[in-house]
Amino acid sequence: MHAENQPLHLRNVRLPQDEEPTDIHIADGRIRAIGGQSAPDPGDEEIDARGALLLPGFIDSHCHVDKTMWGGPWTAHTAGPDVADRIANERERRFDVGYPSGNRIRALLEQMSNSGTTHIRTHTDVDPDVGLRGMEEVAAAAAAMVGRIDVQQVAFPQQGVVTRPGTASLLRDAVEMGATAIGGVDPAGFDDDPIGQLKAIFGLACDLDSEIDIHLHDPGELGMWQVKAIIDWTRRTGMEGRVTISHAFCLGTTPAVEAAGVLDGLAETRISLTTAAVFSKPVLPVRTLFEAGINLGCGSDGIRDLWSPYGNGDMLERAMFVAYRNDLRRDEDIELALGAATYNGARILGLEAYGLEVGCAADMVLVPARNLAEAVVAHPQRALVVKNGRIIVNNFN
Ligand SMILES: [Zn+2]
């Protein structure tokens, strides 16, 4: 049995860049030594990794754990085909199906942690009907899971800001109780007042020193117009490096050449993007964004909720979806999709000491794969999950 603070010595670990397996020494929640510098001390727990590949802990930079039915009854999908239909359906049914449920949120966090996710950014509904109850339930579940998974909340106005009076002041309260970002949703297509919504959320974020993460489903020209507006607001308010646009389907359909000015604007303002590669929705172009210097994270989006019956919180599988939907076949391209679920996500969450270097937090996953591309393609069962130096999953025994 691995004691809480017992140092850990992993033998025969394969590092992504190396042919030969090596050793990793972990103590006090950090990576203390890699390779030749390392030797087991008496009292270390030793694990023979048998050549398994080492990956950093996975980052789910866009999910909605407050809405999940995970661990609850099967919930048949009843919404119409559009975003507005799903919002209306959720508004009608969510309290009947027990939203928000602390037990289900916790069950999902356990599932995510067991699959190697060590940090998430989750968008929690905030509106006059539910108030801050979703925020409270997620915070309580996260507190119960301290040391296994770290949770950041976005105060998310799923039902709009302008069209739902009272929401803006609740967003403020949500940040005061711990949300690290203010959300937004289709300022034009859903709220029907793009300037009104952007003014409200950028005003709040500046006032409260919080980040911004906006859901943008609006397609085509309407979407592109809003991307440009968000770039403009980011510049005007000095929010460079603190804004994320989630989904941004419009950037998955507009030819890159046409969007060239927009890509430059996103890179200059250091706006991050997230994709979930869901259904037949446009997926953000991984290689184009990488070459343009734009940070792309990925996430599960909704998992088993009133928006969709799908999802399991497995970020290695999600990276596969991102790669597959992007038509990525070469190893170096598939690695970019894994980057979205690891290093790029860590950038969005503002994590320090993330990675596989000496001194980094010991958040890591071992999988039976020969290289990163195979890890994504096969997304095999996790052999070992370590969070803050503590063993979460050990399938070597
Ligand atoms: Zn979402």
Side-chain angles (χ1 to χ4, degrees):
M1 188 67 200
H2 182 67
E4 190 81 2
N5 291 316
Q6 188 181 10
L8 192 55
H9 194 87
L10 307 177
R11 288 190 287 109
N12 295 318
V13 170
R14 185 183 304 277
L15 298 174
Q17 68 277 14
D18 292 348
E19 280 292 310
E20 292 302 315
T22 189
D23 286 12
I24 308 260
H25 188 73
I26 293 162
D28 303 320
R30 301 261 164 185
I31 299 172
R32 295 298 174 191
I34 299 175
Q37 319 145 27
S38 168
D41 294 323
D44 285 2
E45 169 155 2
E46 273 190 76
I47 293 176
D48 182 355
R50 300 168 211 161
L53 182 72
L54 182 70
L55 305 171
F58 305 138
I59 313 293
D60 192 325
S61 52
H62 185 110
C63 55
H64 295 263
V65 298
D66 63 314
K67 298 174 193 275
T68 193
M69 296 294 294
W70 193 270
W74 179 256
T75 308
H77 189 74
T78 53
D82 299 326
V83 168
D85 297 329
R86 295 190 191 106
I87 292 173
N89 176 69
E90 180 179 63
R91 198 170 161 181
E92 194 183 309
R93 288 189 65 196
R94 63 180 171 166
F95 296 123
D96 294 341
V97 299
Y99 171 87
S101 159
N103 287 340
R104 291 176 200 159
I105 297 165
R106 184 164 170 184
L108 178 56
L109 292 179
E110 280 177 17
Q111 162 75 12
M112 294 166 116
S113 164
N114 288 341
S115 68
T117 296
T118 52
H119 300 78
I120 67 168
R121 173 185 270 194
T122 187
H123 294 247
T124 306
D125 282 14
V126 170
D127 59 69
D129 295 337
V130 73
L132 298 171
R133 282 198 291 127
M135 290 283 310
E136 289 160 2
E137 293 290 355
V138 172
M145 290 290 288
V146 159
R148 293 193 57 179
I149 188 165
D150 292 342
V151 176
Q152 290 186 6
Q153 293 197 69
V154 180
F156 177 43
Q158 173 78 85
Q159 299 177 4
V161 179
V162 179
T163 48
R164 284 291 270 153
T167 300
S169 70
L170 285 165
L171 295 176
R172 176 181 291 277
D173 296 343
V175 171
E176 279 163 2
M177 70 176 279
T180 55
I182 302 265
V185 61
D186 293 321
F190 186 74
D191 235 354
D192 213 14
D193 184 355
I195 303 305
Q197 185 182 123
L198 293 176
K199 193 174 172 189
I201 64 177
F202 273 87
L204 279 169
C206 289
D207 213 26
L208 298 165
D209 192 25
S210 109
E211 310 238 329
I212 283 181
D213 193 333
I214 303 173
H215 276 69
L216 185 59
H217 312 91
D218 285 336
E221 284 307 309
L222 184 61
M224 290 305 284
W225 181 85
Q226 289 170 91
V227 171
K228 288 176 198 159
I230 293 166
I231 292 170
D232 190 39
W233 275 89
T234 302
R235 279 204 181 103
R236 273 202 270 160
T237 54
M239 287 283 288
E240 288 92 344
R242 307 197 70 193
V243 176
T244 299
I245 306 176
S246 285
H247 304 315
F249 296 142
C250 57
L251 287 168
T253 49
T254 311
V257 194
E258 218 174 290
V262 170
L263 295 189
D264 288 347
L266 289 168
E268 283 160 20
T269 49
R270 288 175 284 123
I271 291 175
S272 288
L273 303 173
T274 67
T275 193
V278 289
F279 300 102
S280 56
K281 304 287 183 210
V283 59
L284 288 169
V286 169
R287 177 149 286 284
T288 305
L289 295 175
F290 174 74
E291 283 167 1
I294 296 164
N295 188 51
L296 172 68
C298 73
S300 303
D301 207 12
I303 298 169
R304 313 267 172 108
D305 57 26
L306 292 172
W307 282 67
S308 149
Y310 296 99
N312 59 12
D314 182 345
M315 288 307 294
L316 207 46
E317 183 185 274
R318 185 63 44 189
M320 187 274 287
F321 285 135
V322 171
Y324 187 83
R325 297 268 337 271
N326 259 272
D327 199 5
L328 303 180
R329 301 167 197 236
R330 294 172 187 271
D331 284 5
E332 62 269 28
D333 289 341
I334 296 170
E335 287 172 15
L336 294 180
L338 182 59
T342 53
Y343 292 93
N344 300 2
R347 226 165 277 141
I348 292 173
L349 271 64
L351 304 182
E352 286 168 9
Y354 175 84
L356 299 176
E357 311 281 327
V358 171
C360 288
D363 294 346
M364 54 180 63
V365 183
L366 284 168
V367 288
R370 285 160 290 187
N371 56 39
L372 298 174
E374 187 179 33
V376 172
V377 168
H379 49 89
Q381 189 190 41
R382 309 310 110 96
L384 188 77
V385 175
V386 173
K387 167 70 178 162
N388 289 341
R390 180 179 159 206
I391 295 172
I392 304 297
V393 170
N394 183 358
N395 283 319
F396 283 118
N397 296 327

